Amino acid sequence: MKKINRNLVLLIVLILLFAGGCKKKAGSGFRVDNYSNGKAGEIVLVMDPKQYTESEREEVIAILQQPQPAINQIEPMFDILKFGLEDFSAFYRKHRSVVYFEISDSYDNLTIDFDYNVWASPQVYITIKGNNVDSTLAIFKQHQDEIIERLYDNDLKRLQAFNIRNNSPQIEKKIKEKFGISITIPQQYFIAREEPDFLWLRNQTVRNDRFIIIFKSDTLLLSKEQLVKTRNQMTKNYIPGAIRGAYPILSTIYEYPEYREITIKSKKGIEMRGLWESVGDNMGGPFYSFSFINSDQTAVVTVDGFVYAPEEYKRDYLREVESIVKSLR
């Protein structure tokens, strides 16, 4: 009888442990028990080599691997894993980003579908169906900008899902109290400097640095010129360079920074991306920012992420800070 009781207790403990381990964090927006696989910036491309020639597949790959915009070296937007229909296993169906070409005589209509969380979460599953090669390639090219955008956004969602599970509540509370906004900040970041209108967060490693700066200005203008001017003044005042007298500013070469109106979680504002450089030094790298007028109409708030990673690829680091900026809510 005692042995039976011990076994029963053990069984209950195991059930409780398993249940606890399978819980998803509240508000995470993804299922822990069915989490998608794949590396950062990676796409699974499925095109049957019996239907598409090598040059036709390479044409698609060239579009998916176009250079990452506004970065100070050439890096592809995505890394590609190529599969034929027969090699596309159940494991790779759970990849976070899938582009699937399918040709069949039974298809009367040409279609492109954008589905989410089909086999795993977070996942974007793009299916292109038609009855011949030329039409499927044509619809892919016609929708290439939307395809790139959906894949890119899903890559950011992967990072945001990780950040939610690995967040820093203390820093997030300070940001809320100081600027009236909520942002998910990973635990790897620490407060490097705080001023009344400014907060500098830093993720520092032996080889690179990632920075998040948040600041506000009572000049209620969202023009490119004003945003660049305000940002440069903030970094000059509060972020010292590696050598005496140096400080970071935004580069304005090649018509940078790129400037675009977007909406993040119902907040309408301005997205800028481009390069930063250092006055008095030769440091530099890519940046991404979002600026908006706060709900009280009293200040422009900017959330800005930038990267310093000499002699390293920077694409994934840039997406890390962009995912943090875009967690704004």
Side-chain angles (χ1 to χ4, degrees), residues 57-71:
R57 284 181 289 164
E58 289 300 321
E59 190 176 359
V60 171
I61 290 171
I63 292 173
L64 296 175
Q65 290 199 311
Q66 60 187 272
Q68 171 75 27
I71 198 168

Side-chain angles (χ1 to χ4, degrees), residues 222-273:
L222 291 175
S223 66
K224 180 194 286 191
E225 293 74 19
Q226 184 60 48
L227 293 176
V228 170
K229 179 182 178 181
T230 301
R231 205 267 198 185
N232 288 347
Q233 190 62 53
M234 289 289 178
T235 54
K236 180 180 180 180
N237 290 345
Y238 300 136
I239 301 183
I243 62 177
R244 186 177 180 86
Y247 57 91
I249 63 169
L250 295 185
S251 173
T252 55
I253 62 171
Y254 308 126
E255 298 184 355
Y256 282 148
E258 295 180 357
Y259 174 97
R260 185 168 72 112
E261 294 183 7
I262 66 167
T263 300
I264 298 179
K265 301 290 193 305
S266 77
K267 288 180 169 55
K268 295 182 179 180
I270 300 299
E271 167 191 87
M272 293 201 305
R273 63 173 75 239

Side-chain angles (χ1 to χ4, degrees), residues 149-161:
E149 183 176 354
R150 302 268 190 134
L151 293 168
Y152 192 92
D153 287 346
N154 195 60
D155 217 34
L156 297 181
K157 287 179 182 178
R158 176 193 68 86
L159 291 163
Q160 290 169 340

Side-chain angles (χ1 to χ4, degrees), residues 57-164:
R57 284 181 289 164
E58 289 300 321
E59 190 176 359
V60 171
I61 290 171
I63 292 173
L64 296 175
Q65 290 199 311
Q66 60 187 272
Q68 171 75 27
I71 198 168
N72 55 328
Q73 60 196 49
I74 297 177
E75 295 184 49
M77 287 198 72
F78 301 103
D79 303 317
I80 309 297
L81 297 178
K82 297 186 294 183
F83 291 93
L85 300 182
E86 297 175 356
D87 302 322
F88 185 45
S89 66
F91 174 81
Y92 287 105
R93 279 200 297 270
K94 296 186 70 173
H95 196 282
R96 65 176 51 87
S97 298
V98 178
V99 179
Y100 188 97
F101 283 76
E102 186 175 347
I103 296 176
S104 173
D105 293 335
S106 63
Y107 295 142
D108 294 327
N109 299 317
L110 181 65
T111 61
I112 179 167
D113 297 315
F114 298 89
D115 297 308
Y116 291 88
N117 306 334
V118 177
W119 301 101
S121 175
Q123 182 186 54
V124 57
Y125 201 99
I126 303 171
T127 309
I128 300 164
K129 295 180 180 180
N131 53 29
N132 63 75
V133 168
D134 291 341
S135 61
T136 55
L137 291 176
I139 195 172
F140 172 82
K141 293 175 184 177
Q142 179 184 346
H143 291 271
Q144 61 179 289
D145 291 343
E146 183 180 6
I147 290 169
I148 293 291
E149 183 176 354
R150 302 268 190 134
L151 293 168
Y152 192 92
D153 287 346
N154 195 60
D155 217 34
L156 297 181
K157 287 179 182 178
R158 176 193 68 86
L159 291 163
Q160 290 169 340
F162 174 79
N163 293 341
I164 287 172

Side-chain angles (χ1 to χ4, degrees), residues 39-42 68 71 75-77 79 155 158-159 210 307 313-322:
K39 298 178 182 178
E42 192 176 70
Q68 171 75 27
I71 198 168
E75 295 184 49
M77 287 198 72
D79 303 317
D155 217 34
R158 176 193 68 86
L159 291 163
R210 277 144 283 167
V307 173
Y313 292 120
K314 300 170 180 61
R315 181 195 70 187
D316 294 342
Y317 295 142
L318 180 60
R319 288 188 193 174
E320 176 190 310
V321 298
E322 182 176 346

